[in-house]
Amino acid sequence: MPKFDKEEMTSLLSVGKGVLNVFTVRNMVVPLKIAVLAIKPDIDINEYDQVVEASITISSGILSIPYAMEYPNNLLEFQISAGIYQALIGYQGLDTISEDGLEGNDAYTVFLWKSDISIEKKIIKEWMNSPY
């Protein structure tokens, strides 16, 4: 199982070559939406507990998203035009997780749009009750 640093745990996101590791607060199957758009979405960040923006370069034309970190070969893969993309990840319902970490109404949305530039990962809105 990969080891993640404090910054990755705080941002709930790790970005690698052609891979977005969107961390969830439960180690369960959770709702994940992926929207590939023509332009940056105009979202209301108040609808999210946390919002993170980053760039991802997809050279292969395949976007891979791991869905079980303990099994790194379990990937959701999507055909997508090669190039640089901005990713805006919205995390919702993070404060609804039960004490045992099994139940909750958390949900995750990944917005992607093509870009000419690559940016450093940044937290746009930080989860106020993050244990990290």
Side-chain angles (χ1 to χ4, degrees):
M1 187 162 155
K3 299 276 188 206
F4 298 103
D5 63 29
K6 182 166 175 52
E7 185 280 327
E8 290 169 319
M9 296 303 294
T10 300
S11 67
L12 298 174
L13 180 68
S14 174
V15 181
K17 187 174 183 177
V19 177
L20 286 175
N21 288 310
V22 178
F23 299 173
T24 61
V25 294
R26 288 188 298 145
N27 188 17
M28 306 294 287
V29 175
V30 296
L32 170 69
K33 295 179 195 171
I34 300 172
V36 180
L37 308 167
I39 61 172
K40 182 177 183 174
D42 183 21
I43 66 166
D44 180 356
I45 66 169
N46 294 317
E47 293 180 11
Y48 298 92
D49 297 315
Q50 179 148 309
V51 178
V52 180
E53 187 171 13
S55 293
I56 181 172
T57 300
I58 302 172
S59 303
S60 65
I62 298 173
L63 172 66
S64 299
I65 301 176
Y67 62 89
M69 293 308 294
E70 56 275 0
Y71 305 104
N73 293 329
N74 287 358
L75 300 171
L76 298 175
E77 294 187 328
F78 302 91
Q79 293 287 75
I80 192 168
S81 299
I84 300 170
Y85 285 82
Q86 302 307 328
L88 191 64
I89 299 92
Y91 302 78
Q92 295 175 297
L94 302 183
D95 291 324
T96 66
I97 308 305
S98 63
E99 272 191 46
D100 64 7
L102 299 177
E103 303 294 327
N105 294 314
D106 50 323
Y108 307 83
T109 305
V110 178
F111 301 97
L112 294 170
W113 65 98
K114 270 199 135 175
S115 179
D116 294 330
I117 60 166
S118 184
I119 63 168
E120 293 293 318
K121 176 174 52 171
K122 62 183 170 186
I123 299 174
I124 306 297
K125 179 181 180 182
E126 190 168 356
W127 178 26
M128 299 306 292
N129 296 321
S130 173
Y132 312 111

